[in-house]
Amino acid sequence: MPRRTAPVGELVGRAREGDSRAVARLISLVEDESPLLREVMAELAPYAGHAHIVGITGSPGVGKSTSTSALVSAYRETGKRVGVLAVDPSSPFSGGALLGDRVRMQDHATDRGVFIRSMASRGHLGGLSWSTPQALRVLDAAGFDVVLVETVGVGQSEVEIAGMADTTLVLLAPGMGDGIQAAKAGILEVGDIYVVNKADRDGVQSVTRDLRSMLALAERSEGAWSPPILKTVASRNEGVAEVVQAIEDRLEWMRGNGVLTERRRSRARDEIEAIATTALRARFAHLHGDARLDVLAAKVADGGTDPYSAADELIAAL
Amino acid sequence: MPRRTAPVGELVGRAREGDSRAVARLISLVEDESPLLREVMAELAPYAGHAHIVGITGSPGVGKSTSTSALVSAYRETGKRVGVLAVDPSSPFSGGALLGDRVRMQDHATDRGVFIRSMASRGHLGGLSWSTPQALRVLDAAGFDVVLVETVGVGQSEVEIAGMADTTLVLLAPGMGDGIQAAKAGILEVGDIYVVNKADRDGVQSVTRDLRSMLALAERSEGAWSPPILKTVASRNEGVAEVVQAIEDRLEWMRGNGVLTERRRSRARDEIEAIATTALRARFAHLHGDARLDVLAAKVADGGTDPYSAADELIAAL
């Protein structure tokens, strides 16, 4: 194990005191899949479960970065500490993202109550679903009141983010090819709050109307959360306070009916399973040499055995 | 274990002799996640690895069913036996699909060299990625020369299907909202053969041109397969023979350079891992009572432990 500059316990302490560099270092350990992660997570555990995790998703060009920045400012006016995690599900690199961070940070550069970090999500161990929950765990334990997780809605990423957030904001905008947005049926399953940004543009009525009628078709059980549709011009801070209010309303609602606790437990369950499965897969691969699974796979492909017997053999070898 | 009408060995024998009802029964065992599956897969194993698995995907409305039916007819003219598996990634039910099968079967109803089956994919154990490979294993071992797996390209389903197929056909059509199709960047990663169907319609040139320029941007390594772009009017059988030829060319290419073997081994690896992981998850859930994982999750959510320690505890309990 490499010699490290600061012990994990000290890093965690500094992160909780608002030291951005310590927070950044902890998230780097997540990104690097560091062997120190176990120790980090053990140190963080007692401080878990306080932040409101808010997912922000939408097609490219709807104004996610601008909206996130406006939400940060609005939250700072209420005195709350805000963490931002921008997850790029398409990039295998984090180098480019870091430049983006510096640009994005400008509005909040001198504010110790704000932390912004971009993260590439295609790690070795399963990307979005493996590293993002752990980075959120860092920000939660570091004492941020609100953590905004921003991701572009492509493929399954918005569904994955929604699974990791307490509350999910879906951003739309007029003139973005409504067909494309509507075709992404996924967004109708994940949104807790819908925000039509760039509401000063033509077509805002039609986007809002389409959205309303699509949501009306969705079946909701008795007592379920009814997602509001809000309009913003994030670049001019218009309507942003109302979005913050909706996020806080949602938090109150979740606190009142046990949904918050249930979501957090469900996420912890997913995390434990993901870590356990990853650990077992690593054992599958390394047991009796790296080639073990390959040998079994070749045997199955050639008809020498069936996948169930091969799976048995793999498990038995544990 | 329930008393069964025919022993598994007999069912497999009948399936290999071309008895459609026996094939259908075996696929039902897959769909039902029957405890007999282990026995089925053991009986099928020696006959594995002969069919060319061809995935067919595309947005709703591009003409997937018509194209599949036309491909079946074209393959039958060459004397080959064809199996068709239509996977619906959105439906949790298979009841509706069965009616669809009967309609689709009309063209091939009296042909013992053709088997068509729809399958809902949202089973208990992970849907598309768990049940589809096993159904393909049934059709492969039943002796079909070609197995067409048709699925609508929504979410990740086209990526999943491509992972299970030797060759993937991506269907497009003019006038379908090219923006939507282009936005689905996923299709550019998965297609081995692109087919622009409904090529008698306006806009075929623009779809073809857009596709060509998008494919030109994709990086391909030296010696990689270069995906052809073909045009069809499947409803009139125009261009279908050329598609069959392209599929056969691709098969030859894969046979010649070891890609076919590598893909089959890689799929077997995925299958073994999926079965082993599923088995371990079932043990996670049932070990020390069903509530074991829930208790650990609540402890993590409440800060009583961290997910790594919880995962250790889960694994140790195995």
Side-chain angles (χ1 to χ4, degrees):
Chain A
M1 209 169 287
R3 183 92 183 91
R4 46 192 196 269
T5 40
V8 165
E10 194 189 312
L11 263 183
V12 168
R14 276 165 44 204
R16 285 189 52 78
E17 284 160 16
D19 179 344
S20 287
R21 280 185 306 173
V23 178
R25 177 86 185 98
L26 290 172
I27 291 183
S28 293
L29 294 175
V30 170
E31 264 197 321
D32 300 344
E33 294 162 16
S34 161
L36 293 175
L37 264 191
R38 300 185 64 95
E39 201 182 332
V40 170
M41 292 301 154
E43 291 277 349
L44 293 176
Y47 312 113
H50 297 291
H52 184 192
I53 311 284
V54 179
I56 300 179
T57 187
S59 300
V62 295
K64 281 184 298 298
S65 299
T66 314
S67 297
T68 302
S69 188
L71 282 170
V72 170
S73 301
Y75 262 113
R76 288 303 290 146
E77 281 173 23
T78 70
K80 291 192 169 168
R81 289 182 65 205
V82 188
V84 176
L85 194 68
V87 183
D88 184 345
S90 62
S91 167
F93 307 111
S94 58
L98 296 176
L99 176 63
D101 285 348
R102 264 173 267 145
V103 174
R104 293 155 59 101
M105 276 298 278
Q106 283 178 354
D107 289 347
H108 312 285
T110 57
D111 187 345
R112 276 176 72 93
V114 178
F115 176 86
I116 300 182
R117 170 69 172 251
S118 294
M119 214 169 78
S121 73
R122 278 201 183 156
H124 290 112
L125 301 172
L128 209 60
S129 51
W130 193 86
S131 55
T132 310
Q134 307 210 46
L136 292 176
R137 196 163 274 283
V138 168
L139 294 174
D140 177 21
F144 292 101
D145 300 297
V146 184
V147 177
L148 307 174
V149 204
E150 179 196 314
T151 193
V152 64
V154 291
Q156 285 289 93
S157 61
E158 75 270 18
V159 176
E160 287 190 70
I161 282 293
M164 295 166 196
D166 299 314
T167 295
T168 302
L169 258 67
V170 172
L171 262 62
L172 297 97
M176 291 283 305
D178 301 351
I180 295 181
Q181 300 185 23
K184 293 187 59 59
I187 68 162
L188 292 176
E189 290 171 26
V190 304
D192 298 309
I193 296 168
Y194 290 87
V195 178
V196 182
N197 189 33
K198 306 188 182 181
D200 53 346
R201 294 205 182 164
D202 284 347
V204 64
Q205 296 307 334
S206 116
V207 173
T208 311
R209 194 181 48 235
D210 288 358
L211 189 56
R212 208 178 300 278
S213 48
M214 287 192 292
L215 288 175
L217 290 174
E219 282 181 38
R220 290 183 195 286
S221 51
E222 190 73 17
W225 173 257
S226 173
I229 301 174
L230 302 169
K231 294 177 201 169
T232 56
V233 185
S235 58
R236 293 202 304 258
N237 275 312
E238 290 174 21
V240 176
E242 287 77 5
V243 176
V244 168
Q245 188 55 53
I247 296 172
E248 294 302 301
D249 288 348
R250 160 90 182 163
L251 181 60
E252 275 317 298
W253 180 86
M254 286 189 296
R255 275 197 179 126
N257 59 14
V259 167
L260 191 62
T261 304
E262 186 34 55
R263 287 187 78 99
R264 287 175 173 178
R265 288 184 178 182
S266 156
R267 288 203 305 260
R269 211 180 296 128
D270 292 346
E271 263 186 277
I272 297 168
E273 275 210 338
I275 291 169
T277 306
T278 302
L280 288 170
R281 288 219 165 137
R283 288 202 208 171
F284 288 164
H286 290 292
L287 213 68
H288 298 231
D290 275 6
R292 177 72 170 212
L293 183 53
D294 285 341
V295 170
L296 284 170
K299 215 167 145 193
V300 168
D302 299 344
T305 187
D306 65 280
Y308 284 86
S309 305
D312 285 347
E313 214 176 306
L314 206 59
I315 292 172
L318 287 176
Chain B
M1 210 169 286
R3 183 91 183 91
R4 47 194 195 268
T5 40
V8 165
E10 194 190 312
L11 263 182
V12 169
R14 277 166 42 205
R16 284 189 52 77
E17 283 160 17
D19 179 345
S20 286
R21 279 185 308 172
V23 178
R25 175 88 186 98
L26 289 172
I27 291 183
S28 293
L29 294 176
V30 170
E31 264 197 322
D32 300 345
E33 294 160 15
S34 161
L36 293 175
L37 264 191
R38 300 185 66 96
E39 201 181 333
V40 170
M41 291 301 155
E43 291 278 348
L44 294 176
Y47 312 112
H50 297 289
H52 185 192
I53 311 285
V54 179
I56 301 179
T57 187
S59 301
V62 295
K64 281 184 298 299
S65 299
T66 313
S67 297
T68 303
S69 188
L71 282 170
V72 170
S73 301
Y75 263 114
R76 288 304 289 148
E77 282 173 22
T78 70
K80 291 192 171 170
R81 289 181 64 204
V82 188
V84 176
L85 194 67
V87 183
D88 183 346
S90 61
S91 167
F93 307 110
S94 58
L98 296 177
L99 176 62
D101 284 348
R102 264 173 266 145
V103 175
R104 293 155 60 102
M105 276 299 277
Q106 282 177 354
D107 289 347
H108 312 284
T110 56
D111 186 346
R112 276 175 73 94
V114 178
F115 176 85
I116 301 182
R117 170 71 171 249
S118 294
M119 215 169 76
S121 73
R122 278 199 182 158
H124 289 111
L125 301 173
L128 209 59
S129 51
W130 192 86
S131 55
T132 310
Q134 307 211 45
L136 292 176
R137 196 163 275 283
V138 168
L139 294 174
D140 176 20
F144 292 101
D145 300 296
V146 184
V147 177
L148 307 174
V149 205
E150 178 196 316
T151 193
V152 64
V154 290
Q156 285 291 92
S157 60
E158 75 270 18
V159 176
E160 287 190 69
I161 283 292
M164 295 166 196
D166 299 315
T167 296
T168 302
L169 258 68
V170 172
L171 262 62
L172 298 98
M176 291 283 306
D178 301 351
I180 295 182
Q181 298 185 26
K184 294 187 61 58
I187 66 163
L188 292 177
E189 290 171 27
V190 304
D192 299 308
I193 296 168
Y194 291 88
V195 178
V196 182
N197 189 33
K198 306 187 183 181
D200 53 345
R201 295 207 182 162
D202 285 348
V204 64
Q205 296 307 333
S206 116
V207 173
T208 311
R209 192 180 52 236
D210 288 358
L211 189 55
R212 208 178 300 278
S213 48
M214 287 192 293
L215 287 175
L217 290 174
E219 283 179 39
R220 288 182 197 287
S221 52
E222 189 73 19
W225 172 257
S226 172
I229 301 175
L230 302 169
K231 295 177 199 167
T232 57
V233 184
S235 59
R236 293 201 304 257
N237 275 312
E238 290 174 22
V240 176
E242 287 77 5
V243 176
V244 168
Q245 188 55 54
I247 296 172
E248 293 302 300
D249 289 348
R250 160 91 183 162
L251 180 60
E252 275 318 298
W253 179 86
M254 287 189 297
R255 275 198 179 127
N257 59 13
V259 167
L260 191 63
T261 303
E262 187 34 57
R263 287 187 77 101
R264 286 176 175 177
R265 286 182 181 185
S266 157
R267 287 203 306 258
R269 211 181 294 127
D270 292 346
E271 263 186 277
I272 297 168
E273 274 210 339
I275 291 169
T277 306
T278 302
L280 288 170
R281 288 219 165 136
R283 288 202 209 172
F284 288 164
H286 290 291
L287 214 66
H288 298 232
D290 275 7
R292 178 72 169 211
L293 182 55
D294 285 340
V295 170
L296 284 170
K299 215 168 145 193
V300 169
D302 298 345
T305 189
D306 66 279
Y308 284 87
S309 305
D312 285 347
E313 214 175 306
L314 206 59
I315 292 172
L318 286 176

